[in-house]
Amino acid sequence: SNNLKKSGMNALELALYGGEDYELIFTSRDNPAARKYAMLGKITKVKGIKILENEITGKTLPVKKTGYRHFA
């Protein structure tokens, strides 16, 4: 889209760092009641935050430590 081109980011970067936060994210135990929400990840004993790029191969991507500048 035009917004994607203007941002200078790829689609994944725009989704992660583009500043359009509009959903509540929370942690929950794995139970049937929580399954009506979209699962975005899971907490493990491994330190750090990674994006699972491929669930079959287990390939991950690092998450940049950045934020969105609202008035830039």
Side-chain angles (χ1 to χ4, degrees):
S1 77
N2 287 336
N3 290 337
L4 182 60
K5 290 176 186 175
K6 288 178 187 177
S7 74
M9 297 185 229
N10 66 40
L12 180 59
E13 291 172 327
L14 189 59
L16 292 173
Y17 314 119
E20 291 296 325
D21 304 336
Y22 61 90
E23 290 196 34
L24 180 64
I25 298 175
F26 60 93
T27 58
S28 172
R29 293 175 186 226
D30 185 21
N31 64 46
R35 291 189 190 131
K36 64 183 178 180
Y37 302 101
M39 184 175 146
L40 299 176
K42 61 182 175 180
I43 296 175
T44 66
K45 292 181 180 185
V46 178
K47 290 186 178 184
I49 299 172
K50 295 182 180 174
I51 299 167
L52 182 60
E53 183 181 48
N54 187 314
E55 192 171 358
I56 295 169
T57 66
K59 182 177 179 185
T60 61
L61 301 171
V63 175
K64 296 177 190 173
K65 293 183 179 181
T66 186
Y68 180 76
R69 296 189 61 143
H70 293 273
F71 304 105

